[in-house]
Amino acid sequence: MEKIRRIKTDILIIGGGTAGCLAGIFAKQKAPHLDVIILEKANIVRSGCLAMGLNAVNAHLIDSTPEAYLEYVKKDNYNVVRSDLVLSIGKRLNRMTEVIENLGVPLPRDKDDKYISRSSRSIVMHGEQIKPLISEAVISNGIKVYNRTPVYRLVRDSDDGSITGAIAVNVRTCEVFIVEASAVLVCTGGASGIYRPSNPGLARTKTWYCPYSAGSGLAMGIRAGAEMTSFEMRFVALRTKDVIAPTGTLVLGTRMPQCNARGEKFIDIKEEMLGRKITTAERLLFAIEEHKKGTGPCYVDVSGLNREQYYNLVENYLNMAPSIVLDLLKNPDEQQTHIEVCGSEPYINGGHGMAGFWIDERRRTTLDRFYAAGDVAGGAPKKYITGCFAEAEMAIEDILERFDAIRAYNSDYGSAEKSVKEILMPLGSKGHLNYCEVEERLQKIMEEYAGGSTQNYEVSRDKLMLAKDYLSVLDEKTCLMKAETGHELMRVQDTIDRVLLSRVLIEHMLARQETRWPCYQTRLDFPMRNDLEFKIFINSVMNNGSIKILKRDLNPPYDQLGVN
Ligand SMILES: Cc1cc2nc3c(=O)[nH]c(=O)nc-3n(C[C@H](O)[C@H](O)[C@H](O)COP(=O)(O)OP(=O)(O)OC[C@H]3O[C@@H](n4cnc5c(N)ncnc54)[C@H](O)[C@@H]3O)c2cc1C
């Protein structure tokens, strides 16, 4: 058995991204006497969604109310959202913007000292340095951080099965850690790499969602029996082609129109026809429809920008997507006039979408002592950075409130040691597969049979059943992967996690027999929305390796349906 370093702390945070770092800061500010540890897969200075920086606070209420925010989120998501979670986030959003500003992130203001708005819920941020600033606050608040130390499994209490810690292995040294805590908060974000990325070869890591977000927090929760929700509502980002920069910066930031290859402003035409603003999902759907009609690709027409506006756009992109800047300035004397847009590959994500842990209003998962916040937590789409901060704060508040009651625990050390053996198995294994081969096969299956971008995101029962069969064969092969270094071990474990998440995703997609969120969830064999049967949550729990689907009522107390 490898030498194991056993550490005890009060609060363990898994994942030092947006929510994780802020959770640590909130915990130390509210209870400085408690010990807080963050276990982070990369390095908190530049990890997760904020690694490249951000240029907007996407959820800030300008002359609006939390109730109006809830109404917007409901409408944009066809009425299946956790209203309690969304409202609780809405009540804290603007205070979280202040937290961002207090960290030292510049939020420009106009001459009346008001934030500069991009829309009624979005303000401009000069956030290229946001993650380094957050990480400085983490260190100055006395939080202990273990960088390059990904967590692979959870530790349980031997008496009541509650979660009392996590097992991690340092990528550089292969040192094994078992960290025990009175409460564990998972903040590992969503999952990329499930579907084939749109860029090939060495550019395949140029994805919208962080390429190292393998959804491992979700996977460790699934293995431990936590309930998951709404995986079938995948998130697909509409992005600029190839360099995968955000289109919000273009569409909201410049107000320039989206048009098809013939120059027709198809979004404006649709809005006029429908007599309403289109939803976020429809912005993608209508672009796909143009492709299907033979009038694609689609563009944002920026020919109307003057020199100053054009350079303003360049500056905004410098704050979060520098690669598009090379493209925008490739000929300094000539402005680009049309920027091509397309859909990304689908992601599992609870920050823009609502796939993730099933939690309650206090951000407790269904496993005791185990909390989830940020993109890993389900039920509340459109939470973005301020919503992630808000969830982190709510989780910490609950942990602190009940801390004395949950202080004592008795970890099942024997099971934890078994998990360590299982995690380390690929190191020195005689297996003949490397993780790239398994990852490629996974992405091919998901792309072709589970609604990837080349399939216009559409799925049907028969294709999903094939995906399910192929995945079960692939799942059996994952034990043949070998690793020679700590980094390879991480990639192997990421691949195992992605296969598990894909299996859960397929079950969710099969269970929702309607089309609710176009492109995010389109069933060719059930093309209509069916409010009568499916205005519900599709949830799942894994037990002894098999995935069981549960249906839950849309409204509190979210009873399980079909169970007496
Ligand atoms: C490209 C992009 C642009 C965005 N733009 C905006 C915007 O302009 N405005 C806005 O408000 N919101 C924006 N968002 C949304 C917002 O950034 C996210 O919702 C938010 O940052 C997610 O925070 P998180 O803590 O859940 O995840 P992350 O910040 O991604 O943090 C997850 C952390 O967990 C770590 N981790 C993963 N697995 C493990 C493991 N097994 N063990 C230990 N650590 C692990 C990761 O390395 C990472 O540090 C954007 C998101 C993306 C992806």
Side-chain angles (χ1 to χ4, degrees):
M1 169 63 79
E2 295 291 316
K3 191 173 172 321
I4 297 174
R5 221 171 122 189
R6 200 170 163 181
I7 299 172
K8 288 200 175 206
T9 184
D10 293 317
I11 301 173
L12 169 62
I13 297 166
I14 307 175
T18 315
C21 285
L22 265 292
I25 295 168
F26 289 135
K28 282 305 257 186
Q29 287 176 347
K30 289 171 201 281
H33 59 287
L34 291 186
D35 190 68
V36 180
I37 285 185
I38 294 179
L39 290 173
E40 164 57 40
K41 181 181 194 171
N43 185 317
I44 64 162
V45 178
R46 287 273 180 193
S47 67
C49 292
L50 301 188
M52 281 202 303
L54 288 192
N55 62 18
V57 178
N58 278 352
H60 175 91
L61 307 181
I62 305 161
D63 299 330
S64 184
T65 61
E67 290 73 20
Y69 166 72
L70 170 60
E71 278 318 301
Y72 159 71
V73 176
K74 273 165 80 175
K75 213 185 243 177
D76 205 63
N77 291 278
Y78 304 91
N79 291 313
V80 175
V81 297
R82 280 279 301 275
S83 299
D84 58 338
L85 301 182
V86 177
L87 192 61
S88 66
I89 287 172
K91 288 179 180 162
R92 294 177 187 235
L93 287 175
N94 288 11
R95 197 159 51 71
M96 294 303 134
T97 304
E98 284 170 29
V99 172
I100 295 177
E101 210 168 18
N102 291 339
L103 285 163
V105 182
L107 297 176
R109 291 169 185 259
D110 63 16
K111 58 179 175 12
D112 300 319
D113 205 31
K114 292 207 165 117
Y115 294 129
I116 297 173
S117 64
R118 294 199 322 177
S119 74
S120 56
R121 283 169 303 275
S122 172
I123 58 171
V124 175
M125 163 163 61
H126 290 169
E128 197 282 327
Q129 283 291 311
I130 187 167
K131 198 69 207 298
L133 286 167
I134 290 176
S135 67
E136 269 173 30
V138 166
I139 302 304
S140 65
N141 275 283
I143 299 150
K144 293 177 191 147
V145 180
Y146 292 78
N147 284 317
R148 306 200 187 283
T149 312
V151 170
Y152 297 126
R153 293 287 187 282
L154 297 170
V155 176
R156 312 193 77 131
D157 186 279
S158 46
D159 302 324
D160 62 15
S162 60
I163 301 301
T164 59
I167 305 168
V169 182
N170 185 281
V171 168
R172 298 261 166 96
T173 62
C174 285
E175 191 175 7
V176 179
F177 293 83
I178 294 184
V179 182
E180 294 169 79
S182 303
V184 180
L185 169 59
V186 63
C187 300
T188 45
S192 62
I194 303 272
Y195 287 83
R196 194 160 57 205
S198 52
N199 284 317
L202 291 177
R204 66 184 178 279
T205 52
K206 184 88 199 82
T207 51
W208 172 75
Y209 209 72
C210 176
Y212 281 97
S213 291
S216 354
L218 296 166
M220 64 187 87
I222 292 167
R223 281 191 199 96
E227 190 168 334
M228 297 288 143
T229 190
S230 308
F231 270 39
E232 74 282 8
M233 187 219 200
R234 305 164 305 164
F235 180 69
V236 179
L238 184 70
R239 292 297 167 249
T240 65
K241 188 143 186 313
D242 301 337
V243 289
I244 325 272
T247 47
T249 308
L250 278 171
V251 176
L252 296 175
T254 68
R255 307 267 162 216
M256 289 290 112
Q258 226 172 294
C259 62
N260 64 17
R262 311 242 166 106
E264 293 157 344
K265 296 176 184 169
F266 65 96
I267 296 288
D268 295 354
I269 295 169
K270 282 283 181 192
E271 288 196 332
E272 205 176 318
M273 217 168 74
L274 295 167
R276 62 166 171 82
K277 285 261 166 229
I278 58 164
T279 62
T280 313
E282 282 170 341
R283 190 170 285 283
L284 174 65
L285 171 73
F286 296 144
I288 304 280
E289 282 183 0
E290 294 300 320
H291 278 273
K292 285 186 176 171
K293 279 194 300 188
T295 48
C298 296
Y299 300 89
V300 177
D301 176 355
V302 289
S303 58
L305 294 180
N306 64 30
R307 195 91 178 139
E308 192 189 338
Q309 289 165 328
Y310 192 77
Y311 275 89
N312 206 8
L313 174 67
V314 169
E315 191 186 312
N316 278 338
Y317 269 136
L318 270 177
N319 279 317
M320 72 177 297
S323 45
I324 193 176
V325 173
L326 296 174
D327 202 35
L328 288 171
L329 296 182
K330 66 181 169 218
N331 183 351
D333 299 325
E334 219 176 280
Q335 288 181 201
Q336 303 256 359
T337 57
H338 289 78
I339 298 175
E340 190 177 335
V341 294
C342 67
S344 68
E345 63 276 13
Y347 303 100
I348 296 175
N349 173 305
H352 281 63
M354 64 165 191
F357 279 90
W358 180 252
I359 51 172
D360 70 11
E361 237 185 285
R362 299 163 295 192
R363 273 56 193 178
R364 295 183 188 180
T365 70
T366 52
L367 304 177
D368 198 17
R369 296 170 189 272
F370 191 47
Y371 292 74
D375 284 14
V376 82
K382 300 203 166 276
K383 64 177 80 139
Y384 306 119
I385 177 176
T386 33
C388 291
F389 279 25
E391 288 203 321
E393 189 183 52
M394 283 183 261
I396 290 301
E397 280 172 3
D398 192 64
I399 291 171
L400 298 183
E401 218 167 272
R402 66 196 283 242
F403 194 79
D404 286 339
I406 59 172
R407 187 186 292 269
Y409 55 86
N410 179 23
S411 294
D412 182 347
Y413 204 64
S415 297
E417 280 191 341
K418 263 196 220 149
S419 298
V420 172
K421 272 196 190 143
E422 192 184 301
I423 294 165
L424 298 179
M425 201 94 80
L427 276 178
S429 137
K430 300 244 179 315
H432 62 275
L433 290 177
N434 67 42
Y435 64 84
C436 296
E437 292 167 298
V438 177
E439 190 181 270
E440 269 179 37
R441 177 68 187 141
L442 168 71
Q443 292 174 351
K444 184 171 162 62
I445 296 169
M446 295 304 287
E447 179 65 33
E448 294 173 2
Y449 297 100
S453 60
T454 55
Q455 307 297 310
N456 297 322
Y457 310 107
E458 294 160 340
V459 299
S460 61
R461 179 188 174 278
D462 297 295
K463 279 196 171 180
L464 289 172
M465 290 304 290
L466 279 173
K468 185 172 164 161
D469 288 348
Y470 293 143
L471 285 178
S472 88
V473 174
L474 189 66
D475 193 32
E476 281 169 21
K477 298 217 164 119
T478 53
C479 61
L480 299 175
M481 281 187 285
K482 58 172 189 254
E484 281 170 13
T485 62
H487 183 84
E488 278 182 11
L489 178 68
M490 178 189 80
R491 299 300 302 265
V492 167
Q493 295 297 344
D494 284 357
T495 308
I496 294 172
D497 289 348
R498 285 181 167 123
V499 173
L500 174 60
L501 294 186
S502 302
R503 287 176 50 215
V504 175
L505 173 57
I506 297 291
E507 296 299 339
H508 276 249
M509 288 171 117
L510 279 165
R512 190 170 281 283
Q513 297 179 352
E514 61 155 0
T515 293
R516 180 154 298 269
W517 305 284
C519 296
Y520 305 169
Q521 186 269 333
T522 299
R523 284 286 300 255
L524 286 172
D525 45 352
F526 295 99
M528 307 302 289
R529 213 165 8 264
N530 176 354
D531 275 350
L532 216 57
E533 289 177 273
F534 284 99
K535 224 168 147 189
I536 55 170
F537 296 102
I538 303 284
N539 287 6
S540 61
V541 173
M542 194 163 100
N543 195 354
N544 283 331
S546 73
I547 301 151
K548 185 172 164 240
I549 289 291
L550 321 171
K551 293 179 177 171
R552 284 199 182 270
D553 195 6
L554 183 70
N555 298 307
Y558 308 109
D559 286 333
Q560 208 176 309
L561 300 171
V563 177
N564 294 321

